[in-house]
């Protein structure tokens, strides 16, 4: 039996279930090719900046609670007391990049400038319109899908948090100028899209999954039993297959409780988690989206996934204070340090500390993604997390100033050895020389995008910006 890089089983109702590579069933000549597995990128966007060191006449001085000190090799000591300490177990895989700077385009609003520029490195389609802004070019996640995905299918774009709001909700992924992409909001719909194609599951398969609570594994049980019994499979193959099917089953269980026919009305009436303002529910939805993202890249369905948390300024989500157990004020207020969406409200006492606690929850959620990716072992013994790059980034440097400087970019995974790991570095460039486009070029080149001449991508974003890569990020 001939086998491609990803074996696919077809089950009841047309369900397509991707499986990881099983080296025992691959032709001998295919082993070397798969060892150089195709890299991918998963993007996680946080809004409102981070609790970095800053000082203002009104707020006073705030100590560093985010960036490692000092920069250089990442250790438990350099991460101590910072939100990034939540990623300490993966510090050998991290590339923490400081001094990534946006261009201060006239979007009319700092949040519009950040959210619409963060993956496009482009200015506005129309200047100065604030909440009605649109980016003037394609985003990197979409380009990866358009050029590198099988059949050039769209990359996955997933959204968690209340719909609508500032900038209209989903706002980081774009097909082109003034052409936003629609995000998949409900994890169940996203899962259907991933496993069943654009049309999702057929009504018959959906009925079985919703009413009888059957797993996709059960729908293809006969084929799976036959596959598991093949003598060519090594013990590693069997472990990999068991792990993959366990991951699928875990995801089914998590999603099906939300998608059961008898639960749908109740969930809609009680604000389902994917459309919630409760930070616990929002981040739980993000983790479900991450489960889908991991399955998608493991199965070769896509080489790019973007996950956006909250709307343009995440102005409604209330994250939980782990020290009190209570929901905090909405995140946008906390990021401003004031009880308002501008500079008019009263100062929120200790809001810089509260901001750092939100940062820590995002770090924990990013850590969940890395754990899931690291649970997959490739035929060459490497982990799936190292085959690609996972990117946790922001659209502002900090909250009060809506800074376009020091935009946080936390990368994990080397893209098969292309990127440095285990260090915090300073990107070349400055306020007068924006370098966000070079950051995106570097990620795009690591995944495999090319420029017009066939070399590594170096001309993404606004064509007026200097071309190039951030070579200090390369291994």
């Amino acid at each position: 039996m001939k086998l491609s890089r990803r074996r696919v089983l077809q089950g009841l109702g047309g369900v397509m279930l991707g499986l990881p590579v099983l080296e025992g069933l691959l032709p001998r000549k295919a082993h070397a090719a798969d060892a150089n597995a195709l890299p991918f990128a998963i993007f996680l966007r946080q809004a409102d900046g981070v609790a970095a060191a800053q000082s203002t006449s009104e707020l006073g001085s705030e100590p560093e609670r985010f960036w490692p000190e000092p920069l250089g090799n990442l250790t438990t000591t350099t991460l101590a007391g910072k939100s990034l300490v939540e990623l300490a177990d993966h510090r050998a895989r991290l590339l923490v990049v400081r001094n990534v700077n946006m261009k201060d385009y006239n979007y009319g609003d700092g949040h519009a400038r950040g959210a619409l520029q963060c993956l496009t490195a482009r200015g506005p389609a129309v200047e100065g319109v604030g909440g009605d802004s649109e980016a003037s070019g394609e985003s990197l996640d979409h380009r990866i899908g358009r050029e590198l995905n099988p059949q050039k299918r769209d990359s996955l774009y997933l959204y968690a948090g209340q719909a609508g709001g500032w900038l209209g909700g989903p706002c980081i992924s774009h097909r082109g100028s003034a052409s936003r992409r629609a995000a998949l909001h409900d994890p169940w719909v996203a899962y259907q899209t991933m496993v069943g194609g654009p049309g999702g599951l057929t009504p018959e398969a959906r009925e079985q999954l919703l009413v009888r609570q059957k797993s996709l594994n059960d729908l293809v049980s006969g084929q799976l039993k036959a596959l598991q019994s093949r003598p060519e499979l090594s013990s590693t193959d069997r472990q990999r297959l068991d792990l993959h099917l366990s991951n699928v089953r875990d995801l089914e269980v998590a999603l099906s409780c939300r998608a059961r026919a008898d639960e749908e009305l109740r969930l809609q009436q009680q604000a389902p988690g994917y459309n919630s303002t409760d930070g616990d529910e929002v981040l739980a939805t993000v983790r479900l989206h991450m489960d889908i993202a991991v399955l998608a890249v493991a199965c070769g369905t896509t080489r790019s996934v973007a996950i956006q948390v909250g709307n343009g300024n995440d102005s409604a989500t209330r994250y939980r204070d782990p020290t009190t157990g209570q929901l905090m004020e909405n995140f946008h207020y906390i990021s401003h340090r004031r009880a308002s969406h501008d500079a008019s409200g009263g100062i929120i006492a200790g809001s810089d500390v509260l901001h750092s606690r939100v940062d820590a929850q995002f770090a924990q959620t990013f850590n969940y993604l890395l754990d899931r990716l690291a649970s997959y072992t490739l035929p060459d013994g490497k982990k799936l997390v190292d085959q690609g790059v996972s990117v946790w980034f922001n659209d502002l440097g900090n909250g009060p100033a809506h800074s376009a400087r020091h935009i946080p970019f936390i990368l994990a995974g080397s893209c098969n050895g292309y990127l440095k790991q285990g260090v915090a570095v300073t990107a070349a460039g400055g306020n007068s020389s924006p370098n966000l486009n070079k950051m995106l070029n570097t990620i795009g080149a690591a995944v495999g995008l090319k420029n017009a001449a066939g070399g590594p991508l170096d001309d993404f974003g606004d064509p007026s910006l200097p071309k190039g890569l951030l070579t200090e990020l390369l291994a």
Side-chain angles (χ1 to χ4, degrees), residues 13 30 52 54 63 77 133 165 168 189-190 192 200 244 249 275 318 337 344 374:
Q54 59 185 325
T77 300
S133 293
V189 174
Q192 288 177 304
H244 186 78
R249 188 178 296 276
N275 194 37
R318 299 178 64 196
R337 310 294 190 257
S344 64

Side-chain angles (χ1 to χ4, degrees), residues 109-244:
D109 171 78
H111 291 287
R113 180 203 64 217
L116 299 174
Q117 183 181 175
C118 59
L119 287 181
T120 66
R122 291 268 188 165
V126 178
E127 291 193 352
V129 294
D132 294 324
S133 293
E134 297 289 348
S136 64
E138 183 179 26
S139 57
L140 183 64
D141 64 303
H142 183 261
R143 178 160 174 179
I144 292 171
R146 178 172 61 83
E147 294 193 4
L148 302 180
N149 270 356
Q151 292 81 51
K152 312 302 180 185
R153 69 170 66 98
D154 275 354
S155 59
L156 281 177
Y157 178 31
L158 310 173
Y159 180 83
Q162 191 174 50
W166 191 247
L167 298 177
C171 56
I172 65 170
S173 187
H174 309 265
R175 296 183 185 279
S177 181
S179 180
R180 292 194 202 185
R181 296 181 61 203
L184 295 167
H185 198 180
D186 182 346
W188 177 250
V189 174
Y191 182 64
Q192 288 177 304
T193 300
M194 197 269 288
V195 300
L201 302 179
T202 65
E204 293 80 10
R206 179 176 172 81
E207 183 68 15
Q208 279 203 294
L209 289 171
L210 296 182
V211 178
R212 301 181 187 177
Q213 295 293 285
K214 287 206 170 197
S215 167
L216 284 177
N217 297 342
D218 300 325
L219 295 180
V220 294
S221 59
Q223 297 175 70
L224 290 173
K225 288 178 181 178
L227 180 60
Q228 289 171 319
S229 66
R230 292 179 67 94
E232 305 98 308
L233 295 186
S234 65
S235 60
T236 301
D237 284 338
R238 297 182 194 283
Q239 293 173 3
R240 187 175 299 122
L241 183 59
D242 288 344
L243 173 62
H244 186 78

Side-chain angles (χ1 to χ4, degrees), residues 428 433-443 466-470:
S433 179
N435 57 5
L436 171 65
N437 64 315
K438 293 184 179 181
M439 179 78 251
L440 299 181
N441 279 334
T442 305
I443 296 170
K467 298 180 181 179
L469 306 177
L470 294 177

Side-chain angles (χ1 to χ4, degrees), residues 5-6 20-21 33-42 93 294 296-303 373-374 376-390 412-419 421 443 446-448:
R5 181 173 177 270
R6 291 285 182 263
V21 167
D34 199 75
N36 188 24
L38 298 175
F40 59 84
I42 299 176
R93 290 190 169 99
V294 172
V297 297
C299 298
T301 302
T302 184
R303 290 174 60 185
L373 288 167
Y376 278 81
T377 302
L378 301 174
D380 60 3
K382 296 180 181 178
K383 301 294 186 179
L384 181 63
V385 64
D386 301 312
Q387 175 182 315
V389 60
S390 300
S414 69
C415 269
N416 294 325
Y418 192 92
L419 300 169
Q421 294 185 292
I443 296 170
V447 176

